[in-house]
C-alpha cells in the first residue's frame, strides 16, 4: 500500500486504478455469488490476525472478571461460613431439647425456650504455653464482649472469656486445667463437673460415684447450673469409664466436641448478661446476633 500511494508522477493514475478496482469488486460481490465465497475464505485467513490483535483486550477483560469473581466468591464464602456457624449453633441444643421433652412431655404448657443473642468472632492468636489452653479472638469491649461470656463453635462449647480489651479478648478453653464446667448426661440427666486436663482432646468428670449410670458414648451437655453457660449445649462425649477396685469414685474420661485446636470462627453468646452496663444491653438488643 505504501508503494501504491508513494509520491511520484504516477500517483494520480495509481489512485484512479485503486478506486476503479474497489468499485469493480463491490459491484461483482453484489452480482456474482462466487465473489462472496472468495471474501468468506479471505476473512477466514484473516481471523488469526484479528484474534491476535484482540488478545490483549480479551486478556485484560478476563483478568478483571477473574478478580471480580474471586472477590465475590471470597465474600460469599465468608458469608456462608458465618451462616453455617449460626445454623450449627441453632442445632446444638436439639439433642438436649429432645431428651428434655421426653422427660417432661406431660408438661404441655411449658414455657418456650428463648433464643440467645450472639456475635460472631474469629481466632487471631494462640497461647504457645503448653500448660495453658488459651486463644485470642477479634472481639472486645467495643463489640459488647464481657468477662465470663460463653463461647461456642460449630460443634460445642469452647470456653469462656477471662479478659477483655477494647478490641480483643482472651478465651480460656474448657480443656485448660484451671477450667471446670457443670454438665449433665443427656441420656439420663445425671449431673457432674467436667474438669480440663491441659490436653485439647480430654476432659475428666470429678467425683463420679461407682454406682453412676455412665456408658461410653454418652453425650454430656451443659447443665446451666451456675448461670455461666446456657443449658443444653454439647460439651463432650464419654470415651472411657474405669472402675477402680476399692475406690468410691470411678475414673471417667470425655472428649470435647468443640474443635478446640482447629476451630477458627466462634460465636460469643449473650447468656450471662448480669453485670453488663445498660448501654451494652441496649446495643445487643437493638443489633441482635450479627
Amino acid at each position: 500500500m505504501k508503494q501504491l500511494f508513494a509520491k511520484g508522477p504516477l500517483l494520480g493514475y495509481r489512485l484512479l486504478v485503486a478506486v476503479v478496482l474497489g468499485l469493480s469488486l463491490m459491484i461483482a460481490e453484489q452480482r456474482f455469488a462466487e465473489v462472496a465465497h472468495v471474501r468468506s475464505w479471505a476473512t477466514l485467513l484473516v481471523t488469526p490476525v484479528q484474534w491476535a490483535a484482540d488478545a490483549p483486550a480479551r486478556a485484560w477483560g478476563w483478568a478483571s472478571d477473574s478478580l471480580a469473581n474471586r472477590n465475590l466468591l471470597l465474600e460469599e464464602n465468608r458469608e456462608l461460613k458465618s451462616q453455617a456457624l449460626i445454623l450449627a449453633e441453632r442445632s446444638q441444643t436439639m439433642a438436649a431439647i429432645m431428651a428434655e421433652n421426653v422427660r417432661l412431655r406431660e408438661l404441655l404448657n411449658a414455657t418456650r425456650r428463648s433464643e440467645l443473642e450472639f456475635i460472631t468472632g474469629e481466632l487471631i492468636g494462640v497461647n504457645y504455653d503448653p500448660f495453658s489452653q488459651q486463644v485470642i479472638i477479634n472481639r472486645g469491649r467495643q463489640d459488647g464482649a464481657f468477662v465470663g461470656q460463653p463461647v461456642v463453635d460449630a460443634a460445642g462449647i469452647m470456653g469462656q472469656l477471662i479478659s477483655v480489651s477494647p478490641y480483643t479478648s482472651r478465651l480460656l478453653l474448657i480443656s485448660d486445667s484451671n477450667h471446670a464446667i457443670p454438665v449433665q448426661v443427656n441420656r439420663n440427666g445425671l449431673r457432674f463437673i467436667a474438669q480440663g486436663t491441659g490436653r485439647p482432646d480430654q476432659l475428666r468428670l470429678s467425683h463420679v460415684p461407682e454406682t453412676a449410670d455412665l456408658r461410653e458414648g454418652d453425650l454430656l451437655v451443659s447443665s446451666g447450673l451456675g448461670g455461666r453457660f446456657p443449658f443444653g449445649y454439647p460439651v463432650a462425649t464419654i470415651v472411657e469409664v474405669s472402675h477402680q477396685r476399692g475406690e468410691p469414685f470411678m475414673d471417667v474420661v470425655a472428649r470435647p466436641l468443640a474443635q478446640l485446636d482447629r476451630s477458627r470462627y466462634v460465636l460469643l453468646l449473650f447468656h450471662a448478661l448480669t453485670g453488663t452496663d445498660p448501654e451494652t444491653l441496649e446495643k445487643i438488643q437493638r443489633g441482635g446476633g450479627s
Side-chain angles (χ1 to χ4, degrees):
M1 294 299 295
K2 187 179 293 186
Q3 294 179 355
L4 180 62
F5 295 101
K7 294 182 179 180
L10 298 180
L11 178 59
Y13 293 107
R14 293 175 179 174
L15 179 58
L16 179 61
V17 170
V19 172
V20 172
L21 182 59
L23 291 174
S24 301
L25 290 174
M26 293 173 61
I27 295 172
E29 183 178 5
Q30 292 180 356
R31 293 180 175 272
F32 304 102
E34 291 77 3
V35 178
H37 291 297
V38 173
R39 182 179 179 181
S40 177
W41 283 104
T43 303
L44 181 62
L45 295 175
V46 177
T47 298
V49 179
Q50 295 174 335
W51 283 351
D54 189 50
R58 287 189 290 108
W60 175 257
W62 176 83
S64 300
D65 292 342
S66 298
L67 182 60
N69 291 337
R70 181 176 182 275
N71 292 335
L72 180 61
L73 289 174
L74 288 175
E75 183 63 28
E76 290 180 351
N77 189 36
R78 284 191 290 268
E79 182 66 22
L80 289 174
K81 284 183 177 180
S82 178
Q83 293 179 5
L85 189 62
I86 293 171
L87 292 175
E89 185 273 335
R90 290 286 184 262
S91 66
Q92 285 183 33
T93 58
M94 291 303 296
I97 293 174
M98 292 175 64
E100 183 184 37
N101 287 341
V102 171
R103 292 192 296 267
L104 306 175
R105 58 183 178 272
E106 69 277 9
L107 301 179
L108 298 180
N109 296 322
T111 58
R112 181 179 179 272
R113 293 165 57 89
S114 60
E115 294 184 350
L116 300 180
E117 304 288 350
F118 63 87
I119 56 174
T120 59
E122 182 177 357
L123 270 65
I124 58 175
V126 298
N127 192 336
Y128 292 101
D129 183 353
F131 301 103
S132 178
Q133 298 285 309
Q134 301 178 15
V135 296
I136 307 299
I137 60 177
N138 66 342
R139 296 294 189 181
R141 195 175 299 110
Q142 297 294 329
D143 304 297
F146 57 93
V147 173
Q149 186 171 18
V151 178
V152 303
D153 70 354
I157 292 180
M158 290 192 68
Q160 59 181 298
L161 301 185
I162 57 173
S163 66
V164 178
S165 65
Y167 300 104
T168 61
S169 299
R170 183 175 294 272
L171 170 62
L172 180 68
L173 301 178
I174 60 174
S175 57
D176 192 278
S177 58
N178 294 317
H179 190 280
I181 177 174
V183 298
Q184 73 177 46
V185 181
N186 193 56
R187 177 172 54 86
N188 53 27
L190 291 177
R191 293 186 295 271
F192 302 99
I193 299 295
Q195 181 78 34
T197 62
R199 294 175 49 180
D201 62 342
Q202 188 178 95
L203 301 177
R204 289 186 181 276
L205 299 189
S206 303
H207 304 100
V208 180
E210 274 287 331
T211 57
D213 179 17
L214 294 182
R215 308 171 188 170
E216 294 184 6
D218 276 345
L219 173 65
L220 302 177
V221 300
S222 53
S223 66
L225 299 181
R228 182 58 56 87
F229 294 95
F231 167 77
Y233 279 76
V235 177
T237 302
I238 295 178
V239 294
E240 182 181 345
V241 179
S242 302
H243 299 270
Q244 303 295 332
R245 184 183 298 274
E247 295 292 333
F249 303 109
M250 56 183 175
D251 188 17
V252 181
V253 179
R255 179 181 294 111
L257 291 174
Q259 305 298 308
L260 302 180
D261 55 349
R262 290 187 292 276
S263 287
R264 183 178 182 87
Y265 299 96
V266 298
L267 293 180
L268 286 70
L269 305 180
F270 289 96
H271 169 63
L273 293 177
T274 55
T276 56
D277 56 274
E279 182 179 352
T280 300
L281 290 175
E282 182 180 355
K283 176 181 177 182
I284 294 168
Q285 293 170 356
R286 182 176 63 252
S290 60

